[in-house]
Amino acid sequence: MSAAVTSPPQPLEKKPVKFSNLLLGAGLNMFEVTTLGQPLEVVKTTMAANRGDNFAGAMSRIWGRGGVLGYYQGLIPWAWIEASTKGAVLLFVATEAEYYAKSFGASDFVGGISGGMAGGVAQAYATMGFCTCMKTVEITQHKIAASGVKPPSTWATFADIYRKEGIRGINKGVNAVAIRQTTNWGSRFGLSRLAEQGIRNVTGKEEGQKLNAGEKILSSGIGGGLSAWNQPIEVIRVEMQSKTVDVNRPANLTVGKTLRYIYGKDGMKGLYRGVAPRIGLGVWQTICMVALGDMAKEAVEKLTGEKVTAKH
């Protein structure tokens, strides 16, 4: 009787990080933030900073700051810097983290979550910390304008914070950003996978069989929407970075101090203020990445001559 022949396990290979992948991610992120992304970000941040406002109240407050342009506060340069760099940071770090997780025996699923969580932390400390801080400062310093004084330019504000508080000042709230990013990417990945499996069960598709564009948007939208469970971290981040004046707010805020302050003042409802526009933002990001991804992928491949391997 002949012995069964077993094929040797495939050697673990690290995914290459290509320029075409980075260009695709940056292009899609730039489109997303310049269209509906920043207005939703501004509404979300305004509601989180002014927790007495409902959705209509926040919209009215933003309009009063400058009409349509009020919805694009913080877009240039901070949101553009963040959008054009965060994808590259995520891809580089997530690729390395996923490779090492798998080298220690992690499954594809666990490796993917590990990579996403590590990439999210790296995003926060590399570029998103100071970008989110400066966007929030611009959005919440409207009280200066309300008092009849013209607020300083974005670069003057940046220089003033740096002169007074240094690197720590322009990265205020970065620990909250890191917590938000790592929980956001980990849960978004896991919840999207669960949604994909549910769609396969309903439609009768087998594991590995491709979902169509509508099914991709639905599964990723569910994952993105449900990952807003960590909205309290986002509200904490906004409060730590906010320029809204409150004499009752503790000095030298940490994540823990800010959590106690918000909960004591506004309760659990305050910690979830702004969750609706955040869910909308997650859905819009999904539509941009999935619905426009194939067209953008084709354009980048023509431009660079490289085959894009990044998933979107």
Side-chain angles (χ1 to χ4, degrees), residues 42-267:
V42 171
V43 174
K44 176 192 73 173
T45 302
T46 300
M47 290 181 72
N50 302 278
R51 291 180 293 278
D53 286 359
N54 57 21
F55 189 82
M59 297 276 282
S60 176
R61 186 187 291 270
I62 296 163
W63 186 266
R65 289 203 297 256
V68 173
L69 294 180
Y71 290 92
Y72 286 91
Q73 277 187 303
L75 176 66
I76 303 170
W78 309 115
W80 277 4
I81 293 172
E82 181 184 326
S84 59
T85 57
K86 67 180 182 180
V89 173
L90 177 70
L91 195 57
F92 275 113
V93 177
T95 297
E96 291 291 320
E98 184 175 358
Y99 172 78
Y100 284 109
K102 287 181 179 178
S103 72
F104 284 106
S107 65
D108 287 348
F109 183 73
V110 173
I113 289 181
S114 302
M117 293 178 75
V121 172
Q123 280 181 322
Y125 289 108
T127 63
M128 291 186 71
F130 75 89
C131 286
T132 58
C133 182
M134 291 309 302
K135 284 192 297 180
T136 305
V137 165
E138 283 206 30
I139 292 166
T140 58
Q141 70 175 356
H142 64 278
K143 284 186 180 261
I144 299 174
S147 65
V149 179
K150 184 180 179 182
S153 70
T154 185
W155 289 111
T157 304
F158 180 86
D160 186 55
I161 294 172
Y162 184 77
R163 186 171 55 254
K164 291 178 180 176
E165 304 175 60
I167 293 291
R168 180 173 290 185
I170 61 173
N171 276 285
K172 194 176 289 181
V174 70
N175 291 334
V177 176
I179 296 169
R180 183 197 71 180
Q181 287 302 103
T182 191
T183 53
N184 192 48
W185 277 110
S187 58
R188 178 176 284 204
F189 181 90
L191 292 166
S192 295
R193 281 293 179 90
L194 288 175
E196 279 183 21
Q197 190 56 52
I199 289 170
R200 290 183 197 283
N201 292 339
V202 170
T203 58
K205 290 185 176 178
E206 296 179 1
E207 185 66 37
Q209 191 174 350
K210 283 189 175 183
L211 302 180
N212 61 38
E215 291 166 342
K216 280 184 185 177
I217 290 174
L218 179 60
S219 63
S220 298
I222 291 171
L226 292 179
S227 65
W229 64 268
N230 65 357
Q231 179 65 8
I233 296 296
E234 176 67 357
V235 176
I236 289 168
R237 189 272 301 173
V238 171
E239 186 62 41
M240 291 177 75
Q241 297 174 341
S242 174
K243 283 294 180 185
T244 301
V245 178
D246 184 349
V247 294
N248 297 315
R249 183 166 55 187
N252 302 317
L253 287 174
T254 62
V255 172
K257 279 185 185 177
T258 311
L259 172 62
R260 287 192 293 273
Y261 165 71
I262 295 170
Y263 184 76
K265 185 180 178 185
D266 301 299

Side-chain angles (χ1 to χ4, degrees), residues 5-46:
V5 178
T6 57
S7 57
Q10 292 293 319
L12 182 62
E13 291 184 6
K14 191 184 295 185
K15 295 174 185 174
V17 177
K18 297 180 178 180
F19 173 71
S20 55
N21 291 351
L22 302 181
L23 186 61
L24 176 66
L28 288 171
N29 281 323
M30 288 286 284
F31 176 83
E32 173 267 317
V33 76
T34 307
T35 50
L36 281 179
Q38 189 63 11
L40 287 167
E41 177 73 24
V42 171
V43 174
K44 176 192 73 173
T45 302
T46 300

